[in-house]
Amino acid sequence: MIVVGGEALMDLVPVAQPPGALLPRPGGGPYNTALALGRLGAQVAFCSRVSADGFGESLLSGLRAAGVDLSLVQRGPEPTTLAVPSLAPDGSAAYRFYVEGTADRLFELPPALPAGVRALALGTCSLVLEPGASAYEALLRRESGRGLLTLLDPNIRPALIGDPPAYRSRFLEWLPYVSVLKLSQEDAAWLGGRVSDWLAAGPSAVVLTQGAAGLTVWTRGGAEYSAAARRVPVADTIGAGDTVNAALLHRLSGPAGSTGPADSADSADWPDVLAYAAHAAALTCTRSGAEPPYAAEL
């Protein structure tokens, strides 16, 4: 099983008609990653705190439909976090967030994860907003110590980061506990630093997504591989990076039903892993909002 920890929120996506209207769509980087894993046929559990309001019920309904295990979900009366994306002509999105007093930021460290968990993924807003950020960080450190494959996707949202130097310093402190670091070009530029420095700090592999230029991975063993992006008509890029996370985890963590820690990312068939991730992300880009593909579509 793969556990994905982090926020579940509602994206208020702009629609053409009527002018100025916003369409609520389930979202949040970790939520989208868990949804995509379920659709790809992985055994996956979502670990978060979700509101008991109508938006929260809708979020959980979407995960249930994808076969995601919800036994690690905490519930609370606080409202659901809202994100309002604005779309550029190329389909890329920038976000404004409404996070004060919301449920997901009050996440608490759960007891030991179930037996048979092979991998843990964390990232995005959940590693910024306290007090939940410290709980997710504790989860990362604890489960890395048990030998789980861990994937970190910072998915930087500058509007939420009040003290950029402090966040960058904290990011470096996470790296010894990370197996696979996945970044977008924008994330890498914002964080600064070099791939070689990040690899030296702990990860077995660093995966960089480059939009239309595809994906590249560098491994601690000195290997470098790339995969071209698939050429598709782009509706928007919402959820594309989260789909990459899911595809990476699905390929790296072994077949469904496998138990025990996942194999090291050092020994992965990276050309296959990247090609699979590029295909899955491309299909997501053809759809409005975060709508990752099903296994049959790949």
Side-chain angles (χ1 to χ4, degrees):
M1 175 181 281
I2 301 166
V3 172
V4 181
E7 76 278 357
L9 54 80
M10 294 302 291
D11 285 327
L12 302 182
V13 181
V15 295
Q17 294 295 331
L22 299 172
L23 176 66
R25 299 290 294 272
Y31 177 92
N32 295 336
T33 298
L35 181 72
L37 277 164
R39 290 185 176 185
L40 292 174
Q43 290 188 346
V44 55
F46 189 52
C47 184
S48 182
R49 181 179 172 92
V50 177
S51 174
D53 66 13
F55 282 151
E57 291 299 326
S58 177
L59 287 162
L60 295 187
S61 177
L63 293 178
R64 288 191 194 97
V68 177
D69 185 324
L70 301 179
S71 60
L72 296 174
V73 172
Q74 305 163 19
R75 303 301 301 274
E78 307 83 13
T80 297
T81 293
L82 302 178
V84 183
S86 57
L87 302 179
D90 64 356
S92 61
Y95 293 85
R96 292 172 55 197
F97 293 90
Y98 299 86
V99 298
E100 290 304 318
T102 52
D104 52 289
R105 69 184 301 171
L106 299 180
F107 172 80
E108 297 179 350
L109 178 67
L113 298 181
V117 172
R118 296 173 58 79
L120 170 69
L122 296 171
T124 317
C125 310
S126 57
L127 288 170
V128 176
L129 300 172
E130 295 289 5
S134 291
Y136 283 114
E137 180 177 327
L139 181 64
L140 172 66
R141 293 171 183 262
R142 186 183 75 190
E143 300 306 322
S144 173
R146 292 178 53 217
L148 267 62
L149 184 149
T150 55
L151 181 145
L152 174 66
D153 175 17
N155 203 6
I156 301 298
R157 302 301 187 214
L160 289 177
I161 300 175
D163 187 343
Y167 179 90
R168 292 183 179 106
S169 177
R170 194 174 188 181
F171 163 76
L172 295 176
E173 295 173 357
W174 296 328
L175 295 184
Y177 306 96
V178 174
S179 306
V180 178
L181 173 63
K182 178 261 184 179
L183 300 165
S184 68
Q185 282 182 308
E186 295 79 9
D187 294 337
W190 190 93
L191 287 165
R194 300 178 299 179
V195 170
S196 58
D197 295 332
W198 298 328
L199 287 170
S204 295
V206 174
V207 176
L208 185 69
T209 61
Q210 303 161 91
L215 304 89
T216 299
V217 64
W218 294 265
T219 73
R220 192 165 50 199
E224 178 181 340
Y225 304 100
S226 294
R230 299 234 175 176
R231 303 299 175 182
V232 295
V234 175
D236 61 50
T237 63
I238 297 173
D242 309 322
T243 302
V244 169
N245 293 341
L248 295 176
L249 287 162
H250 192 37
R251 277 293 200 256
L252 294 173
S253 63
S258 299
T259 59
D263 294 335
S264 170
D266 283 326
S267 59
D269 181 357
W270 278 108
D272 171 76
V273 173
L274 294 183
Y276 182 72
H279 188 183
L283 291 177
T284 301
C285 290
T286 65
R287 302 157 179 171
S288 177
E291 286 292 343
Y294 292 86
E297 297 177 85
L298 294 167

